[in-house]
Amino acid sequence: QVQLVESGGGLVQAGGSARLSCADSGGTLSNYNVGWFRQAPATERQFVAAIRRSGGRTYYANSMKGRFTISRDNTKNTVFLQMNSLRFEDTAVYYCAAAPDRSDFSGYYYRQRGYDYWGQGTQVTVSS
């Protein structure tokens, strides 16, 4: 069973960087595509980035391109989200999620319902 745990959140100054990690205590994350989503107070959860099982294909929300980088280390069953040039509006709870490695993933990587497993989230607060 996939059990996701996010870490790396905290308080960051605007313009700074943070690196989030998503680990699977069940040891099977390497079999899944993984996405990052975020949710700010009083807003809907939104897509941030996703990565295919092999790591060979990544996807980003337009507002994150060039600032955020998703990567993975399948030997450690961990997915990372490197966030640079952080802005106040990046303040949110960040969630990682795992989706089965289906060939049509490119058609729904941004949809929450495409993911079967979710972590509890980690808070990132960007101070202005």
Side-chain angles (χ1 to χ4, degrees):
Q1 184 177 359
V2 180
Q3 295 179 318
L4 303 178
V5 178
E6 302 94 338
S7 61
L11 180 64
V12 184
Q13 287 190 333
S17 299
R19 188 192 197 202
L20 305 183
S21 297
C22 173
D24 169 31
S25 60
T28 60
L29 192 59
S30 59
N31 296 328
Y32 293 83
N33 301 324
V34 175
W36 284 96
F37 291 77
R38 70 183 186 184
Q39 187 168 20
T43 67
E44 294 186 354
R45 193 171 298 185
Q46 66 173 160
F47 170 74
V48 174
I51 188 167
R52 294 299 296 257
R53 172 187 176 187
S54 67
R57 184 74 168 91
T58 57
Y59 311 85
Y60 296 92
N62 286 337
S63 62
M64 286 72 168
K65 286 181 180 178
R67 297 193 302 126
F68 291 9
T69 302
I70 189 171
S71 62
R72 67 190 302 161
D73 183 345
N74 284 341
T75 65
K76 298 181 179 179
N77 283 291
T78 303
V79 173
F80 305 98
L81 183 68
Q82 177 68 41
M83 305 186 295
N84 298 328
S85 302
L86 283 165
R87 307 165 181 167
F88 176 75
E89 52 266 36
D90 293 319
T91 295
V93 177
Y94 284 73
Y95 300 89
C96 67
D101 185 28
R102 290 173 41 178
S103 60
D104 59 348
F105 181 70
S106 61
Y108 63 85
Y109 61 86
Y110 53 92
R111 295 178 178 172
Q112 296 180 56
R113 65 186 183 209
Y115 295 81
D116 293 343
Y117 303 98
W118 290 81
Q120 294 299 307
T122 184
Q123 175 72 46
V124 175
T125 302
V126 183
S127 62
S128 57

